[in-house]
Amino acid sequence: MSIKIGVLDQSPIHEGETAAQALRNTIKLAQRVEELGFTRFWVSEHHDSEQVAGSSPEVLISHLLARTERIRVGSGGVMLQHYSPYKVAENFNVLASLAPGRVDLGIGRAPGGLPKSTQALQRNVHDAPSLEEKIDEVSRYIHNIPPEEGPLAGLQANPIPETPAEIYVLGTSTDSAGIAARLGLPYVFSQFINSSEQVALDSFRTYRESFDYSYGREPKALFALSVIVADTSEEAAELAGEQKLYKIHLASGKTATVGALESAEEFGKQSGEEYTIEVTQAQINKGNKDEIYAVLTEIQAKYQADELIVTTGIRDIDKRVRSFELLHEAFAGLPVQS
């Protein structure tokens, strides 16, 4: 492929499906995109959801690594605000030891669920470090840089793999871009959550201008987006349907974005605050393979993205797989045998 393309699958549970079937679909897709030569395959973290099966990315990653051979597998992402950085580092050091050179640790800022699930995950947590501090701590453990002082001085997150997991900071704002830049880590802007072109451009500019090279790494900017490819433009439009995003604005100033009105209303109720819901059309890049080639080439050039991460919400797993086959054909120029 002339552009590096990775895949994000959220293990959606569509009407009439079970969670087990949704996870089997994720496995099927991972195996097929590996055959096609895509760069990496990421899975998400969602809690208290009847629409998404992936609540534990570490467990799913382990299974996917065992069911594939070459493709990188990782999280898009682990919601670190809920967890001990030390334990997350241990988990991903085990994964990286099992599959050297194939593991990615994407870290997200969102809660990944409704307020009750956040409360359950953070029970008895007080005066927690900031997310930036937590990411820095995970990075140090992953790269075997033990604390030099304090009660944890010398502590390692064993096992220490020969090739550590690659860490990515995921986000939808200049704040997340700044965190990635200050820590010298790769940054992923999730356009399928925040479709503002200006925010994306500002985020990448912040990232590149503020990047700290003292860690010995170079900037690496990824752009995550929703794509649907079909044999015809008309079919792609039909598959995309009228998908919407629902952004909850709480009185405290906090916001969250979900994919269903019911989830948005439940989020507001569980928050215990006054809230409003903003409805926007989901940004889905759709078309036949020639149209998608043109669109993605333009996007890559506009944002100077080092790599694209593509997700698709097509209900039918065979058509979801076909979308990635056509995406491969668009950039490889060769028909794919299904």
Side-chain angles (χ1 to χ4, degrees), residues 36 73 84 89 128 140 156 201 213 215 237 249 257 281 312 315:
L36 295 170
V73 182
S84 155
R140 291 179 182 276
Q156 293 182 317
L201 289 169
Y213 291 86
Y215 291 92
H249 297 265
T257 302
Q281 194 71 30
T312 177
R315 171 180 177 137

Side-chain angles (χ1 to χ4, degrees), residues 34-325:
E34 177 180 60
E35 292 173 351
L36 295 170
F38 284 85
T39 305
R40 64 189 81 247
F41 188 89
W42 286 357
V43 294
S44 61
E45 176 178 330
H46 288 84
H47 302 285
D48 190 26
S49 172
E50 296 181 355
Q51 288 80 43
V52 180
S55 58
S56 179
E58 303 93 334
V59 175
L60 185 51
I61 289 167
S62 180
H63 188 76
L64 291 170
L65 287 168
R67 298 292 296 272
T68 55
E69 297 178 359
R70 300 172 306 280
I71 194 169
R72 297 190 67 92
V73 182
S75 58
V78 166
M79 302 308 169
L80 185 58
Q81 63 170 290
H82 302 316
Y83 310 121
S84 155
Y86 181 70
K87 184 56 182 174
V88 171
E90 284 186 324
N91 286 341
F92 278 81
N93 279 354
V94 168
L95 292 170
S97 297
L98 289 169
R102 294 184 56 205
V103 177
D104 295 334
L105 168 53
I107 297 173
R109 301 182 69 208
L114 305 185
K116 284 184 180 178
S117 62
T118 296
Q119 181 181 354
L121 288 162
Q122 298 184 9
R123 182 175 295 175
N124 299 323
V125 174
H126 305 287
D127 300 320
S130 69
L131 181 63
E132 183 169 343
E133 291 171 325
K134 283 191 164 190
I135 296 174
D136 182 49
E137 188 176 347
V138 163
S139 182
R140 291 179 182 276
Y141 282 128
I142 289 286
H143 294 103
N144 194 24
I145 306 174
E148 295 181 356
E149 54 188 30
L152 302 181
L155 178 65
Q156 293 182 317
N158 294 314
I160 306 301
E162 294 181 7
T163 305
E166 289 188 2
I167 302 175
Y168 295 77
V169 177
L170 284 56
T172 57
S173 68
T174 55
D175 290 342
S176 53
I179 291 174
R182 288 189 293 272
L183 297 178
L185 294 170
Y187 175 61
V188 186
F189 183 88
S190 301
Q191 188 229 22
F192 66 93
I193 298 174
N194 186 344
S195 60
S196 170
E197 178 180 316
Q198 190 58 54
V199 172
L201 289 169
D202 290 345
S203 296
F204 281 131
R205 182 171 58 254
T206 295
Y207 175 65
R208 294 188 176 99
E209 291 178 353
S210 306
F211 191 84
D212 188 340
Y213 291 86
S214 67
Y215 291 92
R217 296 184 287 264
E218 297 291 321
K220 185 177 181 180
L222 289 73
F223 192 78
L225 66 170
S226 180
V227 175
I228 290 179
V229 196
D231 289 291
T232 66
S233 304
E234 293 76 15
E235 184 185 3
E238 183 179 348
L239 290 171
E242 292 295 322
Q243 297 183 35
K244 292 179 171 60
L245 291 176
Y246 302 86
K247 188 172 186 178
I248 308 100
H249 297 265
L250 301 180
S252 61
K254 295 180 180 179
T255 63
T257 302
V258 296
L261 178 59
E262 295 80 3
S263 297
E265 292 173 338
E266 185 62 25
F267 191 105
K269 292 175 185 176
Q270 289 186 19
S271 73
E273 300 182 34
E274 294 293 324
Y275 67 92
T276 59
I277 298 174
E278 176 187 358
V279 184
T280 59
Q281 194 71 30
Q283 178 64 46
I284 301 175
N285 301 279
K286 54 188 179 292
N288 61 42
K289 64 183 182 181
D290 294 330
E291 293 166 334
I292 289 298
Y293 176 86
V295 168
L296 297 195
T297 300
E298 180 181 352
I299 286 173
Q300 190 274 336
K302 177 184 295 183
Y303 298 104
Q304 290 298 294
D306 297 297
E307 185 175 331
L308 302 178
I309 301 292
V310 171
T311 186
T312 177
I314 297 175
R315 171 180 177 137
D316 185 295
I317 182 57
D318 292 328
K319 292 183 179 180
R320 200 187 314 166
V321 170
R322 180 61 178 157
S323 180
F324 284 103
E325 290 175 343

